[in-house]
Amino acid sequence: MKHYIGIDLGGTVLKGAVVSEDGEILQKAEVPSQAYRSADAIRAEIQTLIENLKKTTAEPVAAIGCGIPGIIDRRLGLVRRSPHFPEWNDVPLKDALERRLKAPIFLDNDANCAALGEAWKGTVRASASFVMLTLGTGIGGAIMINREIWHGDLGFAGELGHLVIEADGLPCACGGRGCLELYASASALKRMAEQQGMGALTALKIAEQARSGNQQAQSLFDHFAYYLGAGIGSLVSCLGIHTVVLGGAVSHSADLFMSKLEEEVSRRLYPPSSAATQILIAKLGNDAGVIGAAYGASLNPVSRKA
Ligand SMILES: [Zn+2]
């Protein structure tokens, strides 16, 4: 049986796993990402993690997939920019790892890898096309069309967190204004809580308060659902894709926003479109990225450059 390694680089934790060709995780490992370090130091850390994982399997590793946050140029194997790693600028990660590890490297955006994971072993195995939003500090996005990630002309389509939902809204790090992730993410909940005089609360704390009956905390999730519904309604109308998958930490609070979200999405859609729309919660949790990166590697066997 072929084995693959999947890597998921986050702003806080660098995760890796040995994954069998049928998608089972055989071994996992993680280390802190220490995002303040240079691109070269983090590349070395990824390499060490892969080498350590390789030692845990007697089978040869057929290919390695890396899910990296940010703008990835898959054609050139570059990480163009990454929100968590401000120092990164056109980092040739694919070549650097292939040269040292002597194995084919598959590189894609982390949200695309999470969507690949959910498509392979998670919640959407039955749907050939879906959009996925990972609701974390920001919003990651992926568009899967007929079982393939849609990368767009320049390679980095699917930045769903930057859908504009308030034309003259808050300024965003992307250079635009009023982007979805400023209104429907963990950071958005945190900001809204501060504005409401609730103090410095994490999204998790706000969820705890809402579950224990705090109306003010629940109203933040209502706002969150209002904006997320506007974004998802636009996406469904635009793409004609009716399966929407929500992942990321805030998706664990779906009990606090799902009914309002479904109402909002439905309100914005043509009735047949509304009837066909299903909003699902991702199933693989923190493992989606490593499983999806391994899956990407298994689908994209590329030979190592000389
Ligand atoms: Zn933006």
Side-chain angles (χ1 to χ4, degrees):
M1 183 180 276
K2 279 186 182 166
H3 287 177
Y4 298 91
I5 287 177
I7 295 293
D8 181 12
L9 177 63
T12 319
V13 182
L14 165 64
K15 288 181 286 219
V18 179
V19 180
S20 72
E21 67 183 4
D22 52 14
E24 298 308 318
I25 289 185
L26 304 171
Q27 184 72 40
K28 279 204 263 193
E30 62 175 58
V31 292
S33 351
Q34 301 179 56
Y36 56 85
R37 294 181 299 172
S38 69
D40 213 42
I42 294 171
R43 189 268 311 144
E45 193 76 78
I46 295 172
Q47 185 185 335
T48 304
L49 186 69
I50 293 169
E51 282 166 344
N52 289 340
L53 282 165
K54 267 184 163 176
K55 287 179 197 153
T56 68
T57 168
E59 300 289 326
V61 170
I64 298 158
C66 297
I68 308 290
I71 293 181
I72 310 298
D73 185 326
R74 293 164 66 247
R75 197 172 50 87
L76 298 176
L78 300 177
V79 181
R80 292 234 176 254
R81 298 268 189 288
S82 181
H84 301 302
F85 307 98
E87 305 274 296
W88 291 33
N89 194 3
D90 291 348
V91 174
L93 190 63
K94 179 177 155 71
D95 272 5
L97 288 174
E98 283 187 343
R99 218 173 36 245
R100 291 170 171 90
L101 293 163
K102 310 209 180 322
I105 301 286
F106 162 81
L107 192 64
D108 206 340
N109 169 274
D110 56 344
N112 287 342
C113 287
L116 284 169
E118 290 294 333
W120 191 25
K121 300 302 286 183
T123 196
V124 277
R125 282 186 267 179
S127 303
S129 302
F130 65 91
V131 291
M132 181 163 172
L133 296 109
T134 45
L135 309 169
T137 308
I139 295 183
I143 302 169
M144 177 82 82
I145 299 177
N146 292 331
R147 302 194 189 283
E148 285 191 16
I149 296 286
W150 172 250
H151 286 97
D153 292 339
L154 300 180
F156 35 85
E159 289 290 338
L160 306 182
H162 300 284
L163 272 175
V164 176
I165 50 160
E166 286 278 14
D168 204 19
L170 297 165
C172 181
C174 74
R177 295 189 87 94
C179 297
L180 180 61
E181 71 173 23
L182 300 172
Y183 300 87
S185 61
S187 326
L189 287 164
K190 193 167 174 254
R191 188 195 66 243
M192 288 190 285
E194 277 171 14
Q195 284 168 345
Q196 300 266 319
M198 294 167 70
L201 298 173
T202 62
L204 202 62
K205 277 274 170 229
I206 299 166
E208 277 171 21
Q209 293 193 1
R211 277 193 201 98
S212 62
N214 181 323
Q215 282 305 312
Q216 200 179 11
Q218 180 58 52
S219 76
L220 302 187
F221 277 98
D222 292 348
H223 268 90
F224 172 97
Y226 170 78
Y227 285 111
L228 188 58
I232 290 175
S234 301
L235 276 173
V236 171
S237 293
C238 169
L239 297 169
I241 292 174
H242 293 89
T243 301
V244 178
V245 183
L246 303 180
V250 189
S251 72
H252 302 309
S253 300
D255 57 312
L256 298 168
F257 65 77
M258 187 57 99
S259 66
K260 172 90 174 157
L261 175 64
E262 285 173 339
E263 201 181 295
E264 282 298 330
V265 172
S266 174
R267 205 162 63 81
R268 293 166 192 278
L269 292 175
Y270 181 56
S273 190
S274 164
T277 299
Q278 53 171 351
I279 302 175
L280 307 171
I281 300 299
K283 207 165 92 178
L284 300 179
N286 288 333
D287 292 335
V290 290
I291 293 177
Y295 184 43
S298 78
L299 294 175
N300 294 272
V302 274
S303 42
R304 189 172 71 86
K305 284 183 192 161

